[in-house]
Amino acid sequence: MRLTAKIVTVFILMSVIVTGANGFLRIRREANLFESDMVQDVERFALLMEQWVTTELNKNGWESLQRLIRELDSQDRYSQIRWVWLDVSPPNTYAPEIPSPQLRLLGVNVKKVVSTKIRTTSGKEVLCAYRRIPLKIRTGNQVVRHREGAVELIYDLTPLNFLVRKTIINTCVTMGTLLLFSIVIMGFMGVNVVARPLQKLIQKTRRAGEGDLTGDVDLGGNDELTELGQSLNNMCRQLSKSQEAVQAETLARIATLEQLRHVDRLQTVGRLASGIAHELGTPLNVVSGRAALIASGKLCETDVTESARSIKSETDRMATIIQQLLDFARRRTPKRVSIDLHQVANQTAQLLDPLAQKKKVQIEVTDNDEPVIAFVDVGQLQQVLTNLIVNAIQSITSGGQVRIRMGHRFARPPEGHTGDADHYDFIDIEDNGEGIAEENLNHIFEPFFTTKEVGEGTGLGLSLSYGIIDEHGGWLEASSQVDKGTCFTVYLPREERNECSEKS
C-alpha cells in the first residue's frame, strides 16, 4: 500500500502541476492578447489621427476635433479615448492621466505606443496607452507654433480581471475534479494492479525467507508483476529441489562419517585385543585355580567361601574389562551431556592400559583440584582421546610415558575457525616418543595421510578426531620435536557457552 500511495501522490502532483501550469499560461496568453490588441488599436488610431488631426484642427477648429474623438470614444464601452496635451498638468482637462515626466520616462517622446497599468481614484484598475503626435498649429498659411499632443486610450481591465478570475475558478474546479477522479481511479487501480499483487509477492518472499518454499503465487494478468511472480515460483521450485539434494547429500555424508568413525573404533578394538587378552589371562587363571580347589573337596567351609569371593571378584573384573571394550565399540546415537573431563580421561586411560603395559608405556592422568566440566558427547570424545593416546603409545619405542593434563586456558582459534579468542577447556596428550617431522606436521589432520607402515593405519584417525572436535565448536592443535616427543591439544568451548548454544 505504501508504494500505491506514492504512485497516486506522484500522479496527483503531476496532474495539479500540469493543470496549474495550463491555467497560468492561459491567463498570461489572454493578458498578452488583450495588451497586444490594445496596442494595435492605438497604433491604428494614431496613424489615422496623425494624418488628419492637424488638418481638422486648423480647418474646423478644436471643437470639431473634440466632437470626432467623442464619437470614437462612444463606440467602446470598455475603453476611453482622449486627446491630451503633453505640456499641461492636472487639473487641466486635457492633462494626461499619467504625469508628463513619468510618460517621458516610459518613452512617450518616441513615436511608439507606450502603456502601463494604474489604479484610478475610484479604485478601478485600468491600462493607459499613449501615442505621441506632434502638431503644427497654423493661422492661415503661417505656422504659429509647435505643440506636443498624444492619443490617450484608457482600457478598463474589469473584463480582463473577470476573465482571470473565471480562468482561476475553472482551473481550480478542473484541478479538484481531476484530483477526485485521480484519487478514485488511481486508488482502485493501485490496489488491484499494484498493492494486492505486491502484497502476495511480499508474503511469498517472507515464506521463502523462513524456509517455506511450497505454494506458488498466482497473480493472473500478463504484466511485469506476473512475470516476477512466475520467476519467484520457479526460483522457489529450484531452491526446493536443491534443498532436497543438499539434505540427501548431508544425510549420506553423516551416515558415511558415522560409518568411518565406527570402523575407526573397531580398528582400535582390534589393536586392543592382544592387550586385553593378556589382561584377562591373569583373572582367568585365578578363577580356574580357585574352582579346582573347590572341586577337590579338600577345602574347609571358610576356604571355600574365600575362594568363591575371589572368583566373584575376578569375574567382576573381567566383566568390567569386556564391558568397557563393548561400550567403546558399540554404535551409539550422538548425545551431549555435561561431564567432568577427568572422568572421560580416566576411563579412556583404563581402557588403553593393557595396550600400554604391553609396550611398557605408562599412562599418567593429572588430576586437578577442581573439575573441568564440558558439554560433550562422551563416546565421541572418548574416541578422540583413544586415537590420540594409541598414536602416542605407538610412537614410543619402549619404556616411555604418556601424560594427560586438562584445565582452562586462554587460546586463539586457528584461521578459518568461527570462534573468538577466549578461555577454553583443554586436554593435553603428551608423549616422549619419536616425534613428527616438521614437513609432516601440517598434513597430519588430512584424510588418509599417515607415516605408519602399510597395514598399521588408514590415515583417518586424526582426520575423524578433528571433525568430531570441530562439531563440538573446538579444534585440535599439535606440536612436536623429532626424537623428543609430541603434544596434541584438544580445545573445547567452556561448558556454560556450549549448553546455551545447544539449547538454542
Side-chain angles (χ1 to χ4, degrees):
M1 290 300 293
R2 291 190 292 269
L3 179 59
T4 304
K6 291 179 180 178
I7 295 175
V8 172
T9 302
V10 170
F11 181 80
I12 290 173
L13 288 176
M14 291 298 297
S15 301
V16 169
I17 291 172
V18 170
T19 307
N22 179 67
F24 173 75
L25 294 176
R26 182 181 174 187
I27 291 172
R28 287 198 60 183
R29 184 175 63 253
E30 293 295 335
N32 290 336
L33 286 175
F34 178 84
E35 188 170 351
S36 177
D37 290 342
M38 182 273 300
V39 171
Q40 290 177 5
D41 289 344
V42 176
E43 286 286 356
R44 287 194 299 268
F45 184 75
L47 288 174
L48 292 174
M49 289 284 290
E50 193 172 6
Q51 294 175 5
W52 53 261
V53 68
T54 304
T55 304
E56 185 69 22
L57 181 62
N58 292 321
K59 182 178 180 181
N60 299 321
W62 177 251
E63 292 297 330
S64 177
L65 178 61
Q66 285 291 90
R67 185 170 58 252
L68 178 61
I69 292 176
R70 282 194 298 271
E71 289 176 0
L72 292 173
D73 182 39
S74 63
Q75 296 176 7
D76 193 345
R77 55 177 293 196
Y78 295 113
S79 63
Q80 178 183 356
I81 302 175
R82 290 200 313 147
W83 176 266
V84 295
W85 297 110
L86 299 180
D87 55 358
V88 297
S89 301
N92 191 300
T93 306
Y94 298 100
E97 191 74 23
I98 300 175
S100 297
Q102 187 176 348
L103 285 176
R104 292 189 180 91
L105 291 176
L106 292 174
V108 76
N109 289 331
V110 183
K111 285 190 175 183
K112 68 175 183 177
V113 176
V114 296
S115 62
T116 185
K117 293 179 182 179
I118 64 170
R119 192 172 294 278
T120 63
T121 55
S122 61
K124 184 184 296 185
E125 188 177 16
V126 295
L127 180 67
C128 296
Y130 297 88
R131 175 67 159 81
R132 170 178 167 271
I133 300 176
L135 296 178
K136 297 178 181 180
I137 301 175
R138 298 174 179 272
T139 301
N141 292 326
Q142 297 290 327
V143 177
V144 177
R145 57 175 175 151
H146 294 274
R147 195 172 185 186
E148 298 289 333
V151 178
E152 179 186 70
L153 274 74
I154 301 177
Y155 279 83
D156 187 357
L157 295 181
T158 300
L160 179 61
N161 292 336
F162 175 77
L163 178 61
V164 170
R165 287 194 298 271
K166 184 178 179 181
T167 303
I168 292 174
I169 293 173
N170 291 338
T171 302
C172 292
V173 172
T174 303
M175 289 172 59
T177 306
L178 183 61
L179 182 64
L180 180 61
F181 275 100
S182 298
I183 292 174
V184 174
I185 295 174
M186 289 299 296
F188 176 78
M189 293 185 63
V191 169
N192 290 276
V193 178
V194 179
R196 289 179 181 173
L198 279 180
Q199 190 63 32
K200 291 182 180 180
L201 290 174
I202 291 172
Q203 291 174 357
K204 175 66 176 177
T205 54
R206 285 176 178 171
R207 291 199 308 271
E210 294 170 357
D212 181 11
L213 302 176
T214 61
D216 289 346
V217 56
D218 185 14
L219 300 181
N222 191 27
D223 54 13
E224 288 78 4
L225 289 177
T226 304
E227 293 182 6
L228 178 60
Q230 293 172 351
S231 299
L232 185 60
N233 292 334
N234 293 334
M235 181 191 70
C236 288
R237 283 193 285 270
Q238 292 297 327
L239 285 176
S240 180
K241 292 179 182 179
S242 300
Q243 191 178 62
E244 292 174 358
V246 169
Q247 288 176 350
E249 291 175 2
T250 302
L251 292 176
R253 179 181 176 276
I254 292 174
T256 303
L257 187 60
E258 288 298 322
Q259 183 68 24
L260 287 173
R261 290 174 180 174
H262 183 63
V263 170
D264 184 66
R265 285 195 294 271
L266 294 179
Q267 288 179 343
T268 303
V269 170
R271 297 190 189 102
L272 299 176
S274 60
I276 291 177
H278 174 74
E279 185 73 9
L280 294 176
T282 301
L284 281 173
N285 289 332
V286 173
V287 170
S288 177
R290 294 287 185 174
L293 288 174
I294 293 174
S296 67
K298 298 179 181 180
L299 299 178
C300 62
E301 184 178 350
T302 303
D303 291 337
V304 169
T305 302
E306 182 64 28
S307 295
R309 288 175 179 171
S310 179
I311 291 173
K312 176 68 169 60
S313 174
E314 294 300 324
T315 55
D316 287 343
R317 178 185 172 190
M318 289 188 292
T320 300
I321 294 172
I322 294 172
Q323 187 62 45
Q324 286 178 342
L325 186 62
L326 291 175
D327 287 342
F328 179 78
R330 183 180 296 116
R331 190 191 298 268
R332 289 168 294 184
T333 303
K335 182 180 179 181
R336 296 186 186 184
V337 295
S338 295
I339 192 170
D340 187 357
L341 296 181
H342 291 98
Q343 181 180 342
V344 182
N346 285 321
Q347 290 176 352
T348 307
Q350 186 178 356
L351 177 66
L352 299 177
D353 189 60
L355 180 63
Q357 289 181 5
K358 185 179 179 181
K359 295 198 66 174
K360 298 180 182 181
V361 174
Q362 179 183 358
I363 301 177
E364 177 186 339
V365 180
T366 302
D367 289 330
N368 294 357
D369 295 335
E370 59 180 14
V372 181
I373 306 298
F375 193 70
V376 296
D377 183 286
V378 177
Q380 291 182 346
L381 181 60
Q382 190 176 29
Q383 182 177 356
V384 171
L385 296 181
T386 299
N387 279 329
L388 297 177
I389 295 173
V390 168
N391 287 342
I393 293 173
Q394 291 178 342
S395 69
I396 298 173
T397 304
S398 178
Q401 187 179 39
V402 177
R403 292 178 294 276
I404 304 174
R405 298 185 300 272
M406 63 212 69
H408 310 299
R409 179 185 297 165
F410 184 85
R412 187 179 300 277
E415 185 178 355
H417 195 276
T418 57
D420 299 323
D422 204 344
H423 285 86
Y424 289 84
D425 297 332
F426 74 90
I427 304 174
D428 285 338
I429 296 94
E430 185 178 4
D431 63 70
N432 55 359
E434 298 175 350
I436 303 172
E438 185 176 355
E439 61 269 18
N440 295 329
L441 197 60
N442 293 328
H443 303 285
I444 57 176
F445 296 117
E446 296 176 2
F448 304 108
F449 179 83
T450 180
T451 57
K452 299 177 183 177
E453 298 295 332
V454 177
E456 292 187 7
T458 62
L460 289 173
L462 288 178
S463 175
L464 293 173
S465 298
Y466 194 95
I468 290 173
I469 299 303
D470 184 68
E471 289 177 359
H472 282 73
W475 70 95
L476 275 173
E477 286 184 358
S479 60
S480 182
Q481 288 184 336
V482 178
D483 297 331
K484 290 186 178 181
T486 303
C487 179
F488 282 90
T489 302
V490 177
Y491 285 102
L492 294 168
R494 299 292 294 275
E495 190 273 337
E496 57 270 19
R497 293 204 322 242
N498 259 286
E499 189 171 7
C500 294
S501 175
E502 186 73 16
K503 289 180 180 178
S504 62

